[in-house]
Amino acid sequence: LLSFFTLSLFLAISTAESESELELVADLRALQSESKSGVIHLDDRTIAKFLTSPKTPRPYSILIFFDATQLHDKTELHLRELRQEFTLVASSFITNHNNSNTKLFFADIEFRESQSSFHLFGVNSLPHIRLVGPTAKSLKDESEQMDQGDFSRLAESMAEFVESRTKLTVGPIHRPPILSKTQMGLIVALLLISSPFIAKKIFAGETLLHDPKIWLSGAVFIYFFSVSGAMHNIIRKMPMFLVDRNDPNKLIFFYQGSGMQLGAEGFAVGFLYTIVGLLLAFVTHLLVYVKNAKAKRVAMVFAICVSFWAVQKVIFLDNWKTGYGIHGFWPSSWN
C-alpha cells in the first residue's frame, strides 16, 4: 500500500512538472507569435519566469540579444545593424522549421528596462549575444557567450553559433530583396522606354563612357579605393573614427596598434599614395610634352620633393602604428 501511494505521488508530481513545462513552452510560443519578427522581448519578470524559476533541464533553449537603445547612435557598436541581423536569424529559423520547432526561442533584453538581468548575466559591454541552454543553472557562468570577433559576418555567424551549440539547423537566411516587385517593374519600364534614346546616343558616341575624362577619373578612384583599405573597411564594418574613452569630446582618427585600422587612417595613407601616383602619371604622360627645359626641371624637382614627403609620411605612420622600422641601405660602392 505504501509503495502504491509513493508511486502515485511520484506520478502526480511528474505530471504536474510536465504540465508546467508545457505551459512555459506554450507561453513562449504565444509571445513569439505576437512578435512580427519572432523575437520575444524579455524583461526582469519574464527572465525569472522562463529561466531562473523553472527547474533544469528546461525543455527549451533561448538565444538572447542584449540591447541598449541609448547606444544606437554610437556607430562603432553597430547595435542597430546587429539587432536587424538577429531578427533575420530568428525569422529565418521560424520559417525554415514551419514554426514547429519549440526547442529554441530568440529573445532580446533592453538595458534600461532590465538592468538587474544584465547584472545577472554579467554583461558589461555590448554587443553581446548569449545562449541559455536547458541545463544552465547559473546564467552568468553556465550560459554560452558568442565571441565578439564573429559579429563581422552578421547573421551567418549567428546561425553558425546556434548550430554549433544546440545541434539544431537554422537553415538559409531569408534576406528581404533590395528592391520590391513594384520598384523592379518601374525600373524595367523606364529602361524599355529609354532604350531607343540610349541606343542612339551610343551609336553617335555621345555618352559619358566615350569621354576620356570619365575613364581617367574612374581610374584614379579605383586606385585610391585599392590603396586606402576601403574594401577592408566595408568587409570589417570599420568606423571612420572612435571616441576617446577618457575624453568624450575628443575623436581618435589614428589607432596605434596593428590589430585594428580605422577608416580615416586608411584614407589618409591612400591619399598620400594617390598623390605619388598622380605625380608619376604627370611626369611620364604630360611633362614629356613640355618643350621648356627649365620648366621641366622645376616640375621634376617639385614632383620628387612632394613624392619624397608623402612616402616619408607613410613610413612614419607605419612605424608609429606597428613599431616596425624601414631602413634604407646605400650601395656598397658608395661606402
Side-chain angles (χ1 to χ4, degrees):
L1 184 61
L2 180 61
S3 300
F4 174 75
F5 280 115
T6 302
L7 180 60
S8 300
L9 180 62
F10 175 76
L11 291 175
I13 294 174
S14 301
T15 303
E17 289 181 352
S18 61
E19 289 178 354
S20 176
E21 291 178 352
L22 291 175
E23 289 179 359
L24 290 175
V25 173
D27 291 342
L28 285 171
R29 294 198 65 178
L31 292 173
Q32 178 181 275
S33 62
E34 292 174 0
S35 172
K36 294 181 180 180
S37 62
V39 177
I40 302 170
H41 183 67
L42 298 178
D43 53 23
D44 294 337
R45 182 185 62 81
T46 49
I47 285 290
K49 177 181 178 180
F50 295 115
L51 293 178
T52 58
S53 298
K55 295 182 179 180
T56 57
R58 293 177 289 271
Y60 49 78
S61 299
I62 300 181
L63 186 70
I64 303 176
F65 181 88
F66 293 83
D67 197 6
T69 54
Q70 69 269 26
L71 298 179
H72 281 187
D73 294 335
K74 294 187 176 296
T75 56
E76 65 272 15
L77 295 178
H78 304 286
L79 284 179
R80 195 188 302 272
E81 180 182 4
L82 291 172
R83 177 65 174 78
Q84 294 174 352
E85 293 293 311
F86 185 82
T87 299
L88 280 177
V89 179
S91 59
S92 299
F93 179 82
I94 295 171
T95 302
N96 295 333
H97 293 83
N98 295 321
N99 202 20
S100 61
N101 196 314
T102 58
K103 295 182 179 180
L104 176 65
F105 295 93
F106 295 80
D108 65 354
I109 303 178
E110 210 283 320
F111 176 72
R112 287 182 177 176
E113 300 175 356
S114 312
Q115 294 187 27
S116 60
S117 294
F118 270 67
H119 179 72
L120 189 65
F121 279 94
V123 177
N124 51 26
S125 64
L126 297 177
H128 194 102
I129 293 178
R130 194 178 285 263
L131 176 68
V132 183
T135 59
K137 295 181 179 179
S138 173
L139 299 182
K140 179 179 180 181
D141 299 326
E142 297 183 12
S143 59
E144 299 183 79
Q145 177 185 350
M146 181 175 171
D147 188 3
Q148 290 194 2
D150 294 335
F151 285 125
S152 60
R153 295 185 54 240
L154 304 176
E156 285 72 19
S157 59
M158 297 179 192
E160 290 179 2
F161 173 74
V162 170
E163 293 176 348
S164 63
R165 299 300 192 277
T166 64
K167 297 181 180 180
L168 297 174
T169 302
V170 175
I173 304 298
H174 302 286
R175 295 185 180 276
I178 299 176
L179 298 175
S180 64
K181 293 182 179 179
T182 303
Q183 292 172 331
M184 287 294 297
L186 291 174
I187 292 174
V188 172
L190 289 174
L191 288 176
L192 291 175
I193 294 172
S194 59
S195 57
F197 304 98
I198 295 175
K200 180 181 178 180
K201 291 286 186 180
I202 291 175
F203 289 118
E206 298 176 354
T207 65
L208 292 176
L209 296 179
H210 292 85
D211 189 353
K213 296 178 181 178
I214 297 296
W215 290 97
L216 176 61
S217 302
V220 174
F221 172 76
I222 293 174
Y223 179 80
F224 176 80
F225 187 87
S226 302
V227 300
S228 64
M231 185 59 69
H232 170 271
N233 298 336
I234 294 173
I235 295 174
R236 296 292 183 179
K237 307 291 182 180
M238 299 305 298
M240 290 296 295
F241 54 84
L242 296 176
V243 178
D244 194 343
R245 294 181 179 180
N246 300 323
D247 185 4
N249 296 322
K250 183 181 178 181
L251 301 178
I252 299 175
F253 294 95
F254 289 84
Y255 182 85
Q256 190 172 14
S258 59
M260 181 178 179
Q261 175 181 304
L262 298 175
E265 58 184 295
F267 286 162
V269 174
F271 176 72
L272 295 173
Y273 277 128
T274 304
I275 289 177
V276 177
L278 289 176
L279 288 174
L280 180 61
F282 169 75
V283 170
T284 57
H285 289 77
L286 297 178
L287 193 59
V288 293
Y289 295 105
V290 177
K291 297 180 179 180
N292 191 324
K294 185 177 181 179
K296 279 187 176 181
R297 294 190 186 99
V298 173
M300 182 65 73
V301 171
F302 174 79
I304 292 174
C305 291
V306 175
S307 298
F308 180 82
W309 170 82
V311 173
Q312 187 183 37
K313 285 295 182 182
V314 172
I315 295 173
F316 170 78
L317 290 173
D318 181 73
N319 177 259
W320 173 82
K321 184 174 180 64
T322 65
Y324 293 103
I326 299 177
H327 305 280
F329 295 91
W330 297 110
S332 56
S333 60
W334 291 13
N335 295 329

